[in-house]
Amino acid sequence: VTHMSRFEATKSLLAQLGDEPVVSSLGRTTFDLYAAEDRAANYYLCGAMGMASSVALGLALARPDTKVFALEGDGALLMNLGSLVTIASAAPPNLVLIVWDNGEYESTGGQATATAAGLSLLSLVRAAGIQHAVEVDSLPAFETAVEGARAGFGTHVVIAKVRGSRAHTGLPRTPAYFTERFIQALSSTSR
Ligand SMILES: Cc1ncc(C[n+]2csc(CCOP(=O)(O)OP(=O)(O)O)c2C)c(N)n1
């Protein structure tokens, strides 16, 4: 059983980043990102389950000058598994996908996901053809994995075994504002 908290891991991720964009999935993944730090380079998906990896893929292809980070829950990744093979084929050198694997659909009441029954997301990711993939279950290991992914070339996937965080803040229902702010943040960092 992992003791790594998703919220603590999210905070440590942001502490390592500069102004790189972070696209986050829905639910608790996004609530934790917002609570960790509401930065202009965060893009919160509200309800688009599993689409963070796809949105981040498009962004990574459009913006080869920056690393792009995507945060998905395990349930969200499983809902849009096709994204893995598309990412593997496109093989952007600047995409980092982090999957918070808590074995449950925590946001909707804790129903078990397939990983709770033994599915290895790491094996799935490797089978899709993504070579730079690791699974971690402690904060120090997570930090090392992020450091490697941030510095390295190629698409990287980090499967982070986490426990959820029951306390969270929610998110203001202002998607148009967040979208406009994200676009502006990215325009100002174009090189
Ligand atoms: C297509 C679709 N189906 C169902 C939902 C409802 N829903 C919102 S969050 C969520 C659970 C997400 O689970 P996971 O990605 O594992 O993240 P966690 O909640 O565990 O942080 C579900 C089923 C949705 N938003 N979209």
Side-chain angles (χ1 to χ4, degrees):
V1 175
T2 180
H3 296 293
M4 175 161 46
S5 128
R6 183 184 50 224
F7 180 60
E8 293 303 325
T10 304
K11 280 201 295 190
S12 93
L13 167 69
L14 292 186
Q16 284 197 42
L17 298 190
D19 57 9
E20 296 101 316
V22 179
V23 181
S24 73
S25 193
L26 76 175
R28 301 295 174 93
T29 296
T30 272
F31 298 158
D32 277 358
L33 178 63
Y34 177 76
E37 190 190 341
D38 179 35
R39 46 203 281 286
N42 290 350
Y43 190 53
Y44 312 110
L45 297 184
C46 309
M49 189 166 168
M51 298 312 291
S53 61
S54 299
V55 170
L57 169 62
L59 189 56
L61 293 173
R63 288 293 301 268
D65 59 305
T66 182
K67 286 266 178 186
V68 177
F69 290 77
L71 309 178
E72 289 282 18
D74 54 330
L77 182 73
L78 289 167
M79 176 154 273
N80 184 21
L81 271 184
S83 185
L84 279 185
V85 296
T86 307
I87 288 170
S89 324
N94 57 332
L95 177 64
V96 181
L97 169 62
I98 294 169
V99 184
W100 303 129
D101 185 3
N102 59 359
E104 58 175 314
Y105 298 92
E106 186 187 333
S107 304
T108 47
Q111 303 84 356
T113 64
T115 71
L119 169 71
S120 162
L121 292 180
L122 181 66
S123 305
L124 267 184
V125 167
R126 292 210 173 126
I130 299 170
Q131 304 308 324
H132 302 293
V134 291
E135 184 178 286
V136 295
D137 64 359
S138 74
L139 199 53
F142 174 73
E143 285 168 352
T144 304
V146 168
E147 214 178 302
R150 187 166 182 253
F153 187 82
T155 299
H156 285 68
V157 177
V158 178
I159 307 293
K161 292 286 196 181
V162 294
R163 60 180 167 77
S165 37
R166 302 291 154 180
H168 63 89
T169 57
L171 181 80
R173 294 286 165 189
T174 53
Y177 163 73
F178 287 129
T179 300
E180 186 58 35
R181 188 180 69 166
F182 184 64
I183 290 169
Q184 278 178 16
L186 282 173
S187 314
S188 65
T189 58
S190 71
R191 292 178 262 267

